[in-house]
Amino acid sequence: TSLERRGLVRRAHGGAIPVERITLHPGVGDRGGINQTEKMVIAEAALAELPENGSIMIDAGTSTICLAEMLPTDRGLTVVTHSLPVATAVANRPGLDLHLLGGNIRSDSLAGVGTWTHQLIGMVSVDVAFISINGITPERGLTTHNMAEAAVKSAMIKSARRSILLADHTKFGREEFGRVAPLAAIDTIITDPAVNLDLVREVEAAGTEVFWPGRP
């Protein structure tokens, strides 16, 4: 149970199966159906963090795609993203001013990374950044499987006045290869009710608020 909580194994009947977190990272299309209900709950809760007539930056990820699909069109929002699926969800919707960041498009995440992406992020300052992640621990902070994407996520956090992390319960206790930022860089983590309470206490002890719908 402890190893599963840390994201190192998945329990199975009669034993446990190691989790290959780095070498077997599925593409965004394959990940879209995993924990879909939880991701919809998280995205809906994240709507409360949107500014009025302000600007937001949306990271690549399946939870953030859900958020993009739910964005209201009556707030005069400016949306900045490096994610092709997020941009597609926003592009044809009236009332949303879309800015797509360029860069080298990664085949698994369908998101721009590299020098061009960093330069463009450095040219803007947004009200809120909505960030996706692969791993959350108090010791290592926020981590993801790819160094190039880790660098983009870090730049997005720095470009925003407030940063909101969208992460389902499976991301807690996991550590990946690329370090993004310490927990203190994030204002709030929005997760789902299945999150492990022991891990929540550890994260909050490090100074970051954790919220999920229905939390007492």
Side-chain angles (χ1 to χ4, degrees):
T1 300
S2 177
L3 291 172
E4 183 179 52
R5 190 163 65 91
R6 292 292 176 183
L8 300 176
V9 302
R10 288 288 179 266
R11 282 186 294 175
H13 182 68
I17 302 169
V19 174
E20 302 295 339
R21 296 192 303 274
I22 298 175
T23 57
L24 297 178
H25 184 75
V28 66
D30 296 324
R31 286 182 283 127
I34 301 174
N35 298 325
Q36 183 66 16
T37 300
E38 289 88 344
K39 292 170 184 177
M40 296 293 286
V41 167
I42 291 168
E44 187 171 1
L47 294 175
E49 303 293 338
L50 293 172
E52 291 283 350
N53 296 310
S55 56
I56 62 174
M57 188 172 288
I58 302 183
D59 187 16
T62 50
S63 295
T64 49
I65 292 171
C66 291
L67 173 62
E69 292 171 344
M70 295 182 184
L71 290 177
T73 58
D74 59 352
R75 294 198 184 189
L77 290 175
T78 297
V79 182
V80 182
T81 188
H82 68 136
S83 163
L84 296 182
V86 168
T88 300
V90 172
N92 292 326
R93 302 184 64 198
L96 297 175
D97 182 21
L98 174 64
H99 296 259
L100 178 60
L101 304 173
N104 176 240
I105 304 299
R106 300 193 68 245
S107 60
D108 59 349
S109 65
L110 299 179
V113 298
T115 303
W116 290 356
T117 315
H118 280 267
Q119 288 177 343
L120 291 169
I121 293 173
M123 295 172 64
V124 300
S125 176
V126 299
D127 295 309
V128 186
F130 293 95
I131 305 298
S132 179
I133 206 67
N134 296 107
I136 306 167
T137 65
E139 300 81 10
R140 307 293 287 179
L142 312 180
T143 56
T144 193
H145 69 286
N146 179 268
M147 289 292 293
E149 294 212 9
V152 171
K153 292 175 188 292
S154 179
M156 285 184 163
I157 291 170
K158 293 174 183 176
S159 77
R161 297 178 182 87
R162 298 181 64 246
S163 294
I164 309 298
L165 186 69
L166 309 187
D168 69 62
H169 66 278
T170 64
K171 309 304 172 56
F172 284 75
R174 295 174 65 100
E175 290 184 9
E176 298 289 353
F177 179 68
R179 298 189 70 179
V180 174
L183 282 173
I186 294 294
D187 294 282
T188 302
I189 299 174
I190 301 178
T191 187
D192 61 84
V195 67
N196 184 287
L197 294 181
D198 290 337
L199 292 176
V200 168
R201 294 186 189 101
E202 293 178 17
V203 169
E204 292 193 322
T208 301
E209 175 190 23
V210 180
F211 170 81
W212 61 88
R215 179 174 182 176

